[in-house]
Amino acid sequence: MDNNINEFRCAVHPVLQFADICQKEIMKFESNIGFCAASDSKSSSDSKTLTLLRFVSKLFYKDGSGDPLYASIYMKDKGIKSIPVMNFRGNRFNVLFFNAAGTFYLASHLVQYFENSKSTLNFTHRYILKALKDDRILAICRALGIISKIITEPYLNRASDESSTALSMGNVYNRLIDVLKCCEENPYLMLKMLTFESLLDSQTEAILAKLVVVLRCKCELLFKDFLKDGKYHEPSNNIIKKSASCPPNNICLERLMAKVDSKFKSAPNCNINSIENTIMYSGNKTGAWLEKKSSDDKKNIISEARKSNRSNIKIMKERKSNLFKSHVAIIRQREEQQKKKLEKRSKHKQDILEQMRDIGIWEDRNKINTELEKCRTKTQKN
């Protein structure tokens, strides 16, 4: 019997790591250019470009600091029917790249909106306006947008395809790395794919060259099992058969957890068990299945469900009790460790005081040198 377990990563989550690695590279670039709006930034952990993208998202989706009503109307008046910017809240995947493309596309309209249609600007508006007037920040947005159109969006479409399998993503991973290598050798190609000859610029090309390198390195690290000499590069028929039912991603679980969070926020006093049951009842279409049953079968099913519910509640209570006890045990262990640390520190201080009483305080350099010569070991000298 074959007891080997095949392990696969979610194919969608690497997009998050793509964003992280690109942001680190962008922060290096921004530190070199000395972006003028740096003093206005409230977050030191985010790059100035990411702060801009967050603020643009707020502009269209958040009342108060943003201006979702009039900003959207202004864009529609300019012929932009759909805002090409996602809300940062509630979205995770490809937000950095997608919003960078949208922000670059809307840049000139946003500048006109703030300068011609707003009498007063708040912190968010001022930051956006200042950033959009900086050609270097626009070049970063443009580079990220190009990566979105050529790399991350096509990749995300394939990674989100529920009809494929985790093992079949190997071809996608290899193709992605091949494309990145090609772009690394000639980043000008990425520009030429999406822009006219007259719109090409060296600054965007330079940023793309750096981002493509870090993306390629990250991909080779993440997808090493699917590359040459990797265990899934040329899988055996046995592995193909065993992994045929494994999906390429765990988006389904992500969506379920999002539903739980959403329902819990709307009804914070509701029992988690009830929320999960509601989601399962809806997702599994239990109501429609039950309607197809005869009246006698319905009664039996509902009766059995009620009986089993009591035992399920009992199991859940026991589980909660055990979790509570284990958490309390962890807290007690931490308290004990902290107590030992304090005792050790106190003893160390006491030892130092006793040494000071025995040896006295060395107030001048000659006294220090004389006493150190009497010490035999490094520990005593320290």
Side-chain angles (χ1 to χ4, degrees):
M1 183 178 176
D2 186 5
N3 293 322
N4 293 329
I5 298 175
N6 296 305
E7 298 180 2
F8 298 101
R9 296 174 182 268
C10 173
V12 172
H13 278 80
V15 178
L16 299 177
Q17 299 185 49
F18 295 166
D20 291 339
I21 199 72
C22 283
Q23 199 203 170
K24 289 179 182 177
E25 196 64 27
I26 288 167
M27 290 180 78
K28 293 178 186 176
F29 181 77
E30 288 177 348
S31 65
N32 293 333
I33 65 175
F35 174 46
C36 60
S39 59
D40 293 342
S41 179
K42 290 183 176 179
S43 174
S44 58
S45 61
D46 290 344
S47 65
K48 307 304 177 294
T49 305
L50 180 57
T51 303
L52 166 65
L53 300 181
R54 288 187 186 279
F55 283 0
V56 171
S57 177
K58 282 184 179 181
L59 178 70
F60 289 107
Y61 294 105
K62 186 177 180 181
D63 288 315
S65 59
D67 190 10
L69 177 61
Y70 287 103
S72 299
I73 290 173
Y74 182 86
M75 295 303 161
K76 287 181 180 178
D77 183 55
K78 296 297 180 181
I80 302 170
K81 303 300 181 185
S82 177
I83 304 299
V85 173
M86 285 192 286
N87 191 348
F88 261 84
R89 178 168 291 183
N91 292 292
R92 292 177 65 197
F93 300 105
N94 203 40
V95 181
L96 174 72
F97 302 101
F98 184 86
N99 279 18
T103 299
F104 180 80
Y105 175 72
L106 298 174
S108 59
H109 296 298
L110 288 172
V111 170
Q112 290 176 11
Y113 173 66
F114 288 129
E115 290 184 339
N116 302 330
S117 302
K118 297 284 288 183
S119 57
T120 56
L121 302 179
N122 61 23
F123 172 82
T124 301
H125 302 157
R126 288 197 305 273
Y127 190 99
I128 294 172
L129 182 60
K130 190 181 289 187
L132 292 179
K133 286 185 174 182
D134 193 306
D135 292 337
R136 297 162 297 185
I137 296 298
L138 282 178
I140 294 173
C141 290
R142 189 183 190 190
L144 291 171
I146 290 172
I147 290 174
S148 177
K149 299 303 177 185
I150 296 176
I151 304 294
T152 57
E153 286 184 35
Y155 171 80
L156 198 57
N157 288 335
R158 291 298 304 273
S160 304
D161 185 7
E162 298 294 340
S163 63
S164 60
T165 64
L167 200 59
S168 66
M169 286 299 296
N171 295 329
V172 178
Y173 299 148
N174 279 277
R175 179 59 179 161
L176 174 61
I177 292 172
D178 288 341
V179 170
L180 289 171
K181 284 180 178 178
C182 182
C183 295
E184 183 180 343
E185 293 171 1
N186 189 3
Y188 181 79
L189 283 175
M190 297 182 76
L191 281 168
K192 205 168 182 180
M193 286 181 197
L194 297 175
T195 56
F196 297 107
E197 195 78 29
S198 59
L199 297 176
L200 302 178
D201 68 283
S202 58
Q203 193 161 223
T204 304
E205 184 180 349
I207 297 167
L208 275 173
K210 292 181 179 180
L211 296 182
V212 166
V213 171
V214 295
L215 282 173
R216 192 259 306 160
C217 293
K218 192 67 176 178
C219 287
E220 288 178 347
L221 180 64
L222 291 174
F223 309 138
K224 60 183 179 181
D225 288 341
F226 293 87
L227 305 182
K228 191 176 181 181
D229 299 327
K231 59 181 177 180
Y232 299 128
H233 179 60
E234 293 180 348
S236 63
N237 291 330
N238 184 37
I239 292 177
I240 294 172
K241 185 178 179 181
K242 287 176 67 177
S243 61
S245 61
C246 181
N249 58 65
N250 59 3
I251 293 297
C252 179
L253 297 176
E254 294 266 349
R255 288 171 181 160
L256 284 174
M257 293 307 298
K259 287 181 180 179
V260 172
D261 290 341
S262 176
K263 287 187 176 293
F264 189 69
K265 285 178 182 177
S266 61
N269 295 324
C270 189
N271 189 295
I272 289 291
N273 233 12
S274 301
I275 291 174
E276 291 176 351
N277 291 337
T278 303
I279 293 171
M280 291 297 291
Y281 186 88
S282 174
N284 290 338
K285 299 179 180 178
T286 308
W289 171 79
L290 200 60
E291 284 298 320
K292 296 177 182 178
K293 301 292 181 182
S294 64
S295 58
D296 291 338
D297 287 341
K298 281 183 186 178
K299 288 179 181 179
N300 292 332
I301 291 169
I302 293 171
S303 176
E304 288 296 322
R306 284 172 177 164
K307 289 178 183 177
S308 63
N309 188 46
R310 296 191 188 98
S311 62
N312 289 335
I313 291 173
K314 184 179 178 181
I315 292 169
M316 183 58 65
K317 285 182 178 179
E318 289 176 355
R319 180 172 173 271
K320 283 185 177 180
S321 176
N322 292 333
L323 282 172
F324 176 77
K325 290 176 182 177
S326 65
H327 291 158
V328 169
I330 291 170
I331 292 171
R332 296 285 181 269
Q333 186 180 2
R334 288 176 179 174
E335 289 175 346
E336 191 66 28
Q337 289 174 350
Q338 186 67 13
K339 185 179 177 182
K340 288 180 179 179
K341 281 183 181 178
L342 292 173
E343 288 176 354
K344 186 178 179 181
R345 194 178 298 168
S346 177
K347 186 177 181 302
H348 181 64
K349 288 180 180 179
Q350 193 65 32
D351 292 342
I352 292 173
L353 287 172
E354 289 178 3
Q355 287 179 8
M356 289 174 66
R357 292 192 191 100
D358 295 339
I359 301 172
I361 299 175
W362 303 342
E363 295 180 345
D364 56 71
R365 187 175 294 276
N366 292 331
K367 179 69 173 175
I368 292 171
N369 292 332
T370 303
E371 294 296 334
L372 283 176
E373 287 176 1
K374 296 178 183 178
C375 298
R376 301 293 182 185
T377 64
K378 287 184 178 180
T379 305
Q380 288 178 335
K381 290 180 179 180
N382 292 330

